[in-house]
Amino acid sequence: MQDTRRRVLDAIADGPVPGPEIADRLDVSRAAVWKHIEALREAGFSIEGGDAGYELVTVPEFGGEAVAFGLDAPFEVEYHDSIPSTNDRARELAAEGRENVVVLADEQTGGRGRLDREWAAPSGGIWLSILLRPTVPPADAPAFTLAAAVATTRAAREAGIDATIKWPNDVLVTDGDGRDRKLTGILTEMEGEADRVSWIVVGIGINANVDAGDLVEGATSLREENGDVNRRVFTQRVLEEFHDLGSDLDSVVPAWRDLADTLGRRVRVDTPGGEVVGEAVDVEFPGALVVETDDGRVRVSAGDCEHLRPI
Ligand code: BTN
């Protein structure tokens, strides 16, 4: 959000303040205050204007200005009602040299998943991509993916949903029949040189206020699990948690271990080098899964993981 607009909102958040007083405080003209108030109303903020001045009454449930308002993380938010893919848009912004931008959408018409799969992204979800330029080697990049899974799982638990993480980054809810249903998917893309990441885009798709019937088989949503959430608050929590974890990468793996459902389970991991089957015993920085197989311990950096029934 534009800095002056954010300061106007901050000024009127705790009670009515006369326009001239806002103008004085912010060192802008009265006309500029009025323009910001109008722009905020258009963005869905309900602002009363009585004798005592302007007062913020309600904040919209979703949108760029809404998510940026009160967000405790240093991201700009670019919002779209509908866009082909927030990851594609974030990549364009990366090519323009931008950073610390979140591209957020209500609906995606060409959402992309891992392994070139399509990602269903109907209206009502939280589809977002975070563009960063961290000063880390490319080998550390998986830690950001894990951080996104932790951030989303924490937000889901705060919303009353018993979510867990399947390695490396699927956020799941287990139904009454023991079947895992996917709540969130994460697609991380990056560009870099041998020793440094140039940019990284962490795409997070949260099935929020959508019907399971509008998603792929096996998926669930926040709505299905516990009713609709306030997407503004949920998004803010994800971004704040993600920022905290991303600022201290050593904290990511311990946080991931606490929320994961994979450790201690029998797994089959489809890796580029073949199938690995055994008990998942640990995750090591920046995100490798350690599997105890019949032939000894194997460290897997990437692959599709399936939880197997115990034998
Ligand atoms: C997966 O296959 O599990 C990853 C899905 C990632 C989907 C998100 S939605 C926001 C962002 N934009 C995209 O096109 N994809 C990611």
Side-chain angles (χ1 to χ4, degrees):
M1 188 187 313
Q2 209 220 28
D3 194 42
T4 313
R5 193 159 300 167
R6 184 188 291 245
R7 291 170 66 209
V8 170
L9 266 179
D10 288 342
I12 62 173
D14 297 324
V17 186
E21 191 181 319
I22 302 172
D24 278 356
R25 272 200 223 165
L26 273 53
D27 199 17
V28 296
S29 69
R30 291 174 194 191
V33 170
W34 184 79
K35 271 190 193 156
H36 285 301
I37 295 281
E38 282 310 297
L40 287 164
R41 282 178 172 151
E42 247 168 56
F45 289 81
S46 156
I47 298 169
E48 268 175 15
D51 290 347
Y54 294 113
E55 179 174 15
L56 176 63
V57 183
T58 56
V59 179
E61 188 261 341
F62 204 45
E65 310 271 19
V67 169
F69 174 59
L71 175 65
D72 191 12
F75 299 124
E76 275 175 59
V77 184
E78 180 187 290
Y79 175 76
H80 300 263
D81 283 331
S82 182
I83 193 171
S85 157
T86 55
N87 262 40
D88 289 351
R89 175 62 188 146
R91 292 176 68 117
E92 280 173 18
L93 295 173
E96 290 169 15
R98 303 275 300 279
E99 65 179 312
N100 294 334
V101 183
V102 173
V103 182
L104 177 69
D106 174 56
E107 174 195 61
Q108 293 182 122
T109 53
R112 296 190 286 110
R114 291 170 61 225
L115 308 171
D116 285 333
R117 293 179 188 137
E118 284 177 17
W119 177 261
S123 171
I126 300 173
W127 321 118
L128 66 88
S129 300
I130 308 167
L131 168 60
L132 305 169
R133 292 183 186 275
T135 45
V136 298
D140 288 359
F144 288 95
T145 309
L146 265 56
V150 170
T152 312
T153 305
R154 284 181 174 167
R157 290 191 178 191
E158 282 173 21
I161 295 163
D162 192 15
T164 55
I165 309 172
K166 183 179 76 163
W167 184 85
N169 53 34
D170 283 345
V171 178
L172 306 172
V173 180
T174 307
D175 71 14
D177 300 326
R179 271 190 307 251
D180 290 336
R181 300 200 171 271
K182 188 157 160 172
L183 188 65
T184 291
I186 297 162
L187 175 67
T188 299
E189 299 179 293
M190 68 166 200
E191 198 170 271
E193 287 149 32
D195 58 343
R196 240 197 93 180
V197 166
S198 164
W199 55 256
I200 181 162
V201 168
V202 183
I204 311 178
I206 303 163
N207 302 330
N209 300 342
V210 295
D211 293 336
D214 293 331
L215 302 170
V216 296
E217 178 71 33
T220 189
S221 67
L222 298 174
R223 170 181 285 173
E224 296 289 337
E225 297 301 326
N226 205 23
D228 282 3
V229 294
N230 179 313
R231 287 183 295 166
R232 170 176 64 87
V233 174
F234 198 98
T235 307
Q236 288 176 331
R237 292 298 300 124
V238 171
L239 295 177
E240 289 164 359
E241 290 286 342
F242 178 82
H243 172 67
D244 287 352
L245 290 157
S247 310
D248 175 15
L249 283 188
D250 288 340
S251 69
V252 173
V253 168
W256 187 95
R257 283 193 195 108
D258 280 349
L259 299 171
D261 190 29
T262 299
L263 300 182
R265 299 197 45 168
R266 269 182 65 73
V267 295
R268 173 167 44 230
V269 191
D270 218 355
T271 79
E275 204 174 80
V276 176
V277 178
E279 185 189 337
V281 289
D282 198 11
V283 161
E284 291 176 355
F285 186 87
L289 186 67
V290 183
V291 184
E292 188 77 62
T293 72
D294 290 345
D295 302 320
R297 285 196 168 196
V298 179
R299 219 172 157 272
V300 187
S301 299
D304 247 7
C305 173
E306 191 188 342
H307 290 164
L308 303 174
R309 290 181 189 283
I311 36 173

